[in-house]
Amino acid sequence: MAARRGAVIVRDLVKRFDGRPVLDHLDLGIDRGEFVALVGRSGSGKSTLLRILAGLDAQHEGRAGLPSSVSVAFQEPRLLPWRSVGENVRLGLRADDPAEVARRALGEVGLAAHEKSWPLTLSGGEAQRVSLARALVREPQLLLLDEPFGALDALTRASMHRLVQGLWRDHRPAVLLVTHDVEEALTLADRTLVLADGRISAEHPRPGDERELSALRDRVLDDLGVETRAA
Ligand SMILES: Nc1ncnc2c1ncn2[C@@H]1O[C@H](COP(=O)(O)OP(=O)(O)OP(=O)(O)O)[C@@H](O)[C@H]1O
């Protein structure tokens, strides 16, 4: 089924492991060009949902309508160590001049000078930027980000946030960002969804200012069942 109006239309999705439903009649819609974040407790099924959306797991019930081009960036950059940075970005790319397209994408993430470097010589943040360039070079209609900033230090993470927001504004893919970081979700995304009991249990819009952000952060932590105040 091709997604028509939305970039992603998921209806009644059920995913079981050993008979136990991890996703339980889940509905999800993401509009074209929309930036959506997904938060949930550990084991709530975030990666399971992302794998289904990435087309890596077809063993489920329900409908998943997805665009034809989907890219994924994972927490670990997953670069091939025996290929240069430029080769990693253009691997499998169908374009008239893949090297030039890859070079441009590396320029967009600030790594033009590293085209010929080996992945093992990069810092964690640089490797993650290469991973983003590789995901974006295909101009996907849907970009899936699975905890891509989780392993980075706070400063690198802040600069990655800016980079991702800039890339999103320039390219406008629909984005689904899976993250444990509630503040990251609320500041980056148009909408933050909470996954609990196998479904989207709550949804919050982008906060308008710092006060709203702080209030929403508490609400999402409540949604997640996290104690926010000392007794
Ligand atoms: N291949 C598998 N076989 C059996 N159970 C699985 C498999 N993959 C995931 N699960 C189970 O499904 C549930 C959801 O796992 P998933 O990795 O999607 O959670 P998550 O929300 O991404 O967690 P985390 O935030 O810790 O990464 C967990 O209970 C997990 O043990």
Side-chain angles (χ1 to χ4, degrees), residues 11-24:
R11 291 280 172 267
D12 233 9
L13 184 66
V14 179
K15 171 69 188 177
R16 296 175 217 274
F17 286 117
D18 306 321
R20 182 177 68 94
V22 170
L23 303 176
D24 196 4

Side-chain angles (χ1 to χ4, degrees), residues 139-204:
E139 292 285 346
Q141 288 163 289
L142 174 64
L143 176 61
L144 301 169
L145 301 174
D146 194 2
E147 290 266 354
F149 319 121
L152 303 174
D153 65 86
L155 272 182
T156 309
R157 194 180 313 165
S159 78
M160 287 293 285
H161 286 170
R162 291 191 171 176
L163 176 65
V164 164
Q165 272 184 318
L167 292 170
W168 172 61
R169 278 194 209 104
D170 292 347
H171 294 265
R172 280 288 161 171
V175 176
L176 182 65
L177 167 70
V178 165
T179 177
H180 280 111
D181 185 333
V182 173
E183 193 160 326
E184 175 175 283
L186 289 169
T187 44
L188 288 178
D190 295 321
R191 270 191 304 145
T192 294
L193 310 178
V194 179
L195 178 60
D197 301 322
R199 296 177 205 198
I200 306 301
S201 64
E203 134 169 15
H204 302 283

Side-chain angles (χ1 to χ4, degrees), residues 4-231:
R4 264 177 290 163
R5 275 175 304 148
V8 175
I9 303 169
V10 169
R11 291 280 172 267
D12 233 9
L13 184 66
V14 179
K15 171 69 188 177
R16 296 175 217 274
F17 286 117
D18 306 321
R20 182 177 68 94
V22 170
L23 303 176
D24 196 4
H25 300 280
L26 178 142
D27 293 328
L28 167 70
I30 303 178
D31 287 339
R32 283 189 188 161
E34 190 185 21
F35 197 137
V36 171
L38 182 70
V39 296
R41 296 189 78 119
S42 181
S44 58
K46 302 182 295 296
S47 296
T48 301
L49 175 60
L50 203 113
R51 283 177 55 78
I52 291 171
L53 298 182
L56 299 171
D57 183 351
Q59 302 286 311
H60 59 78
E61 298 158 36
R63 294 190 298 170
L66 299 166
S68 50
S69 59
V70 182
S71 286
V72 196
F74 297 96
Q75 177 162 350
E76 336 77 62
R78 301 191 183 184
L79 305 176
L80 299 176
W82 58 88
R83 302 262 190 164
S84 72
V85 163
E87 285 170 343
N88 265 281
V89 172
R90 64 176 187 258
L91 207 68
L93 184 65
R94 279 193 224 125
D96 287 342
D97 187 352
E100 176 52 29
V101 176
R103 216 169 287 133
R104 218 180 309 136
L106 282 170
E108 282 194 77
V109 299
L111 289 176
H114 284 279
E115 187 194 351
K116 298 205 160 56
S117 303
W118 297 108
L120 290 174
T121 66
L122 301 177
S123 72
E126 287 168 342
Q128 198 52 270
R129 281 191 276 158
V130 175
S131 166
L132 271 181
R134 186 183 48 188
L136 278 169
V137 84
R138 286 161 181 77
E139 292 285 346
Q141 288 163 289
L142 174 64
L143 176 61
L144 301 169
L145 301 174
D146 194 2
E147 290 266 354
F149 319 121
L152 303 174
D153 65 86
L155 272 182
T156 309
R157 194 180 313 165
S159 78
M160 287 293 285
H161 286 170
R162 291 191 171 176
L163 176 65
V164 164
Q165 272 184 318
L167 292 170
W168 172 61
R169 278 194 209 104
D170 292 347
H171 294 265
R172 280 288 161 171
V175 176
L176 182 65
L177 167 70
V178 165
T179 177
H180 280 111
D181 185 333
V182 173
E183 193 160 326
E184 175 175 283
L186 289 169
T187 44
L188 288 178
D190 295 321
R191 270 191 304 145
T192 294
L193 310 178
V194 179
L195 178 60
D197 301 322
R199 296 177 205 198
I200 306 301
S201 64
E203 134 169 15
H204 302 283
R206 187 193 291 279
D209 55 30
E210 282 293 321
R211 260 190 55 220
E212 234 177 273
L213 171 65
S214 163
L216 271 180
R217 193 197 303 119
D218 282 351
R219 287 217 9 225
V220 175
L221 290 173
D222 283 346
D223 292 339
L224 294 168
V226 176
E227 201 62 57
T228 50
R229 283 177 202 85

